Amino acid sequence: MTLQGKSAIDLKAAGTEIPAIAAVPEAPLAMPVQSLDAGGIVALLRGLFGTAGRVVKH
Amino acid sequence: MAQGAHLLLLRTLAVTLPVLAGGGAAALFLQYSSAGGLTPYAFISAALLTLSTAWLAWGAALSLIGLWPARGRAPSTAPIQGKTVVLMPVCNEDPAPTFARVAAMIEALKSAPAEVDFAILSDSYKPEAIAGEAFWYNRLLAETGAEGRLFYRRRTKNTGRKAGNIAEFFRKSGAAYDYALILDADSLMEAETIVEMIRRIEADPKLGLLQTLPTVVRAQSVFGRAMQFAAAFYSPVFARGLARLQGTAGPFWGHNAIVRTRAWAAACGLPELDGPPPFGGHILSHDVVEAALLARAGWTVRLDPDLGGSYEEGPESLIEHAKRDRRWCQGNLQHSRIVPAAGLLGWSRMSLVLGIMAYVAPVFWAGFLISSLLDRATLPPPDYFPDPHQFFPVFPSDETAKAIGLFIGIIGLLIMPKLLILFEAALTDRLLAFGRPFSVTVSALADLLLSSLIAPILMAFQSRSVFQVLRGADGGWPANRRGDARVTVMEAFETCHFMVSIGLVGLFASGYFIPELLPWLVPVLGPMILAPFLIAWTSRSAKGSAIFATPEERVTPHILARHDAILADWGQAADDAANATPSEGRGTADA
């Protein structure tokens, strides 16, 4: 595993194609999109001043 | 004292000082102005001065709270159960140094008591960068034999930039890991630090994110080394102050931090804001928002400034600094959309506001200067005989002492934190790591002088950035240039001619209309007029100087030395791969 003394690596052996073993593991994890909508008093103020339509697009 | 009461006391202190300083400055200014009669400009100036002084005082409060040393955490030797992945997002970076960083960390972690994988997450789109990454991945894999532990993935569409890049990994592979260490392309961390971070997050099941204080390394120019010295010498105290105020809503700076994968996935899916950039679209400065979302979900977000062995690189010239600031400015101003988001903790909102303030404060200073000049220029001439029947003249009261007091107070707020930190470093022997006491004192004085000289230039750049964002200009995400960044006077002039013009106009106008104020304006207008020369001069190499020396320059940390050795070992191969590696436009999309 050490990197020392490895300068003799045959560069031709190192291709420019990404091998299949590079693929990240298949282990999905749910990552729901969060809401950043304003809440409470701010939503009320926005309603009063006519800017309530500004919402977060998911 | 209970922890909650202690936190409340500290936060009250941190907020009270700026309120008092801002209020006091405004009162002094109004008293001074009232001598010649109060104009509307005087009230505008007082309001802007209140906010500007409060911002300075906030910095001073952070340093005061961070001055006393922290109790060290006892290192744990508990066996590590969880599996960790180190994520390195890249985007058109120079691949050889980037992959050499991964190589150094893989090597350092070889015998670590932890299971750690590495994933290079590429958003590169330049063909030469893509080819270079493939070349160096294969080389790295062949040398380390890390099959099954070293991954590479490239997205063809870089949706959401760095945040989207990392989120895509979590959605596809997150369940394979308990923790993820998020790095930047220029990050390097010692194996001991990584292992300690894993132990700390494993020891506290409520901890969702643990941030280190990265040390800036490898600077070579006058500007870069001055910033590096300031970051190494002053930042630990400011960071300690911040950490003491954070409670469970600490900061996230986007990299050199470990997260709990399940907490991150559950809480940090970022939405796209409606509307066009700069205020809509993807969230640019995503890190502060992710920290706020984790805290909102009940997870602790913590900064542990005692964790050493965490490194990053910084800009080498004022122009590179200004480019990065332009991105951060847009990202932070975009946070004005997020401050009112439902459920955020109060301190998270405060952090968002402080981030906005960091870019708005220079505009307040510029506005204060302009309105103060207008105030003086529009003052009516003194009326010595307001009553036509009076025998003796009435002279306006001389309030010059108040103006001088105000000036001293503001300069004190600027200098006092740095002086206190110099004393702290001397008392705790921290100073000796930077060199001989005389050299460090000279470095601190040189930093004061240089930061005073470049402050008006930064103010001009930041004010322009704010106005660009406010008028809807999207700065995009220009890449950083790392490494050599020597700038010529002409190159600097092309970037900053606007401030040279403003400086010259200001100088002649004030010389004509209010010559008595000229000495007060020269420290601001002078550096703006001389900006091309200052920018060019500060981009010169200052490598090896005892001035601005840092502990990492004096004794190269192990991981940096190994990175250098690996790069040197790869030297021939790097030349061979030169055709496959980009030489321009390098940089992260996000750092």
Side-chain angles (χ1 to χ4, degrees):
Chain A
M1 281 277 284
T2 178
L3 291 160
Q4 283 179 312
K6 291 283 189 180
S7 59
I9 286 278
D10 182 2
L11 293 179
K12 288 177 187 169
T16 52
E17 293 294 320
I18 296 293
I21 53 166
V24 295
E26 284 289 342
L29 193 57
M31 192 165 179
V33 172
Q34 302 300 310
S35 168
L36 288 172
D37 285 337
I41 185 83
V42 178
L44 178 69
L45 287 172
R46 281 199 175 147
L48 285 173
F49 291 100
T51 55
R54 200 172 75 175
V55 293
V56 172
K57 187 171 69 187
H58 287 185
Chain B
M1 189 186 296
Q3 197 169 359
H6 183 245
L7 186 62
L8 184 65
L9 181 70
L10 281 180
R11 286 180 175 177
T12 305
L13 180 72
V15 173
T16 304
L17 183 64
V19 169
L20 289 178
L28 275 175
F29 181 82
L30 286 175
Q31 283 181 32
Y32 163 72
S33 298
S34 65
L38 288 170
T39 71
Y41 292 118
F43 290 104
I44 295 171
S45 299
L48 292 170
L49 184 65
T50 304
L51 294 167
S52 306
T53 311
W55 178 244
L56 285 183
W58 169 256
L62 271 189
S63 71
L64 285 174
I65 292 169
L67 262 185
W68 74 89
R71 277 175 296 182
R73 289 173 188 271
S76 165
T77 52
I80 291 170
Q81 307 292 333
K83 191 174 177 183
T84 304
V85 62
V86 177
L87 302 179
M88 184 171 271
V90 297
C91 182
N92 298 322
E93 300 286 335
D94 190 349
T98 305
F99 280 68
R101 289 185 192 100
V102 177
M105 287 186 279
I106 288 177
E107 185 187 279
L109 283 162
K110 185 179 58 179
S111 54
E115 200 178 347
V116 183
D117 289 355
F118 283 78
I120 298 155
L121 307 176
S122 173
D123 263 353
S124 297
Y125 50 84
K126 293 182 178 176
E128 63 271 27
I130 295 166
E133 287 167 9
F135 176 89
W136 286 108
Y137 174 78
N138 282 296
R139 173 76 188 253
L140 185 57
L141 198 61
E143 290 199 1
T144 57
E147 290 93 350
R149 295 205 301 117
L150 173 62
F151 307 107
Y152 174 89
R153 187 272 284 130
R154 189 176 70 80
R155 296 194 302 168
T156 49
K157 278 181 71 179
N158 63 354
T159 310
R161 310 250 178 200
K162 181 180 168 185
N165 191 3
I166 291 171
E168 205 257 9
F169 176 85
F170 273 81
R171 290 196 170 103
K172 187 170 185 187
S173 310
Y177 300 99
D178 299 286
Y179 317 112
L181 178 64
I182 299 174
L183 299 181
D184 233 347
D186 62 359
S187 298
L188 258 177
M189 294 186 79
E190 300 280 6
E192 295 76 16
T193 306
I194 295 173
V195 170
E196 178 63 18
M197 290 172 82
I198 298 170
R199 283 207 167 102
R200 288 189 188 185
I201 200 167
E202 201 158 83
D204 183 352
K206 294 286 285 176
L207 189 56
L209 185 150
L210 179 61
Q211 173 72 57
T212 63
L213 174 64
T215 303
V216 180
V217 291
R218 298 197 190 285
Q220 298 191 2
S221 67
V222 174
F223 175 80
R225 291 188 74 241
M227 295 294 112
Q228 180 176 272
F229 170 79
F233 198 69
Y234 303 119
S235 291
V237 175
F238 286 102
R240 215 155 53 209
L242 188 64
R244 285 181 175 139
L245 290 173
Q246 69 193 357
T248 57
F252 175 40
W253 296 324
H255 53 90
N256 294 37
I258 195 166
V259 303
R260 190 178 299 276
T261 50
R262 279 165 182 78
W264 183 270
C268 294
L270 292 180
E272 190 178 334
L273 302 179
D274 69 315
F279 288 98
H282 295 295
I283 295 172
L284 300 182
S285 293
H286 52 88
D287 39 18
V288 189
V289 180
E290 287 157 345
L293 287 173
L294 273 173
R296 181 173 78 172
W299 294 98
T300 299
V301 179
R302 201 172 81 200
L303 162 68
D304 280 2
D306 66 307
L307 282 165
S310 174
Y311 307 104
E312 64 169 337
E313 293 177 21
E316 284 279 48
S317 74
L318 262 160
I319 292 177
E320 290 303 309
H321 184 276
K323 274 168 62 180
R324 187 180 71 174
D325 243 16
R326 173 65 179 83
R327 294 201 311 268
W328 288 358
C329 173
Q330 184 170 333
N332 285 20
L333 293 187
Q334 191 188 36
H335 289 167
S336 57
R337 298 274 307 272
I338 297 165
V339 171
L344 295 186
L345 298 188
W347 197 254
S348 297
R349 293 188 209 279
M350 177 88 166
S351 300
L352 290 163
V353 170
L354 291 172
I356 296 168
M357 191 64 188
Y359 289 93
V360 178
V363 181
F364 289 161
W365 274 120
F368 166 73
L369 283 174
I370 293 166
S371 61
S372 303
L373 294 178
L374 290 171
D375 173 48
R376 293 291 101 180
T378 55
L379 269 182
D383 183 1
Y384 298 109
F385 297 95
D387 181 349
H389 305 295
Q390 72 186 70
F391 188 71
F392 293 106
V394 177
F395 292 104
S397 60
D398 183 8
E399 301 287 354
T400 310
K402 292 196 171 61
I404 293 171
L406 179 61
F407 178 75
I408 291 171
I410 289 173
I411 296 295
L413 280 178
L414 275 168
I415 294 177
M416 181 268 289
K418 291 188 171 184
L419 279 180
L420 287 176
I421 292 171
L422 184 63
F423 289 131
E424 176 268 346
L427 290 173
T428 58
D429 287 343
R430 193 168 67 88
L431 185 144
L432 295 176
F434 288 78
R436 289 180 303 164
F438 178 74
S439 300
V440 182
T441 307
V442 172
S443 296
L445 292 173
D447 168 69
L448 270 180
L449 179 67
L450 190 63
S451 54
S452 306
L453 279 174
I454 66 174
I457 300 173
L458 293 176
M459 179 181 75
F461 273 129
Q462 289 178 325
S463 300
R464 184 178 69 166
S465 295
V466 170
F467 286 120
Q468 283 175 340
V469 174
L470 290 180
R471 72 161 203 268
D474 179 16
W477 292 78
N480 287 341
R481 264 174 67 190
R482 301 197 198 280
D484 180 45
R486 183 74 189 269
V487 180
T488 65
V489 173
M490 279 313 293
E491 284 172 339
F493 183 74
E494 284 171 22
T495 314
C496 69
H497 56 78
F498 76 97
M499 72 177 76
V500 176
S501 306
I502 292 171
L504 285 170
V505 169
L507 191 72
F508 286 116
S510 50
Y512 184 78
F513 292 109
I514 34 175
E516 70 276 13
L517 289 188
L518 211 49
W520 295 81
L521 291 172
V522 166
V524 178
L525 299 177
M528 287 169 69
I529 294 165
L530 297 174
F533 300 99
L534 282 169
I535 291 171
W537 180 74
T538 53
S539 74
R540 292 164 60 97
S541 174
K543 196 178 176 187
S545 168
I547 309 300
F548 298 140
T550 60
E552 290 73 26
E553 281 185 340
R554 300 179 77 228
V555 181
T556 307
H558 174 75
I559 197 76
L560 296 182
R562 283 305 303 144
H563 173 254
D564 292 346
I566 290 165
L567 254 188
D569 190 38
W570 287 2
Q572 181 60 46
D575 292 340
D576 291 345
N579 293 332
T581 58
S583 57
E584 291 180 20
R586 301 169 294 178
T588 59
D590 200 337

